[in-house]
Amino acid sequence: MLDPNAIRQRILGALPGSEVDVRDTTGTGDHFEARVVSPAFGGKSMVEQHQLVYAPLQDWLKSGELHALALKTYSPEQWKKLGNR
């Protein structure tokens, strides 16, 4: 059973300087939702952004420990355009 903070720390380790929020969507510790705002996403497609987030989580995904991760990814510019700070 994974903890949302463990996922958050892995993402932050791969994408330093990012804003990362992770939530357990079912309470079972294997289905999560993450919002990631990262300068590393500038100029990248959504697929490329998601690949950057999934990369540090591959072992958990392959083992099934992390069964599902819904992603919302934004560059800081995209995030600001949506009215956020």
Side-chain angles (χ1 to χ4, degrees):
M1 185 165 170
L2 288 173
D3 175 69
N5 195 50
I7 296 169
R8 181 179 180 275
Q9 291 305 315
R10 285 248 189 132
I11 295 169
L12 283 172
L15 298 167
S18 299
E19 180 183 322
V20 180
D21 292 310
V22 179
R23 183 175 70 87
D24 185 337
T25 59
T26 62
T28 59
D30 63 349
H31 290 73
F32 295 89
E33 176 181 271
R35 178 181 51 83
V36 184
V37 181
S38 178
F41 296 156
K44 297 204 178 342
S45 71
M46 186 180 297
V47 170
E48 292 170 322
Q49 292 175 19
H50 288 200
Q51 288 172 336
L52 288 172
V53 175
Y54 283 128
L57 307 172
Q58 284 302 307
D59 61 327
W60 287 337
L61 289 163
K62 287 178 183 175
S63 73
E65 191 171 1
L66 176 56
H67 179 72
L69 178 64
L71 292 178
K72 294 180 182 177
T73 57
Y74 309 92
S75 69
E77 295 78 20
Q78 291 169 321
W79 188 240
K80 285 179 189 170
K81 283 182 184 177
L82 293 173
N84 301 292
R85 296 179 184 195

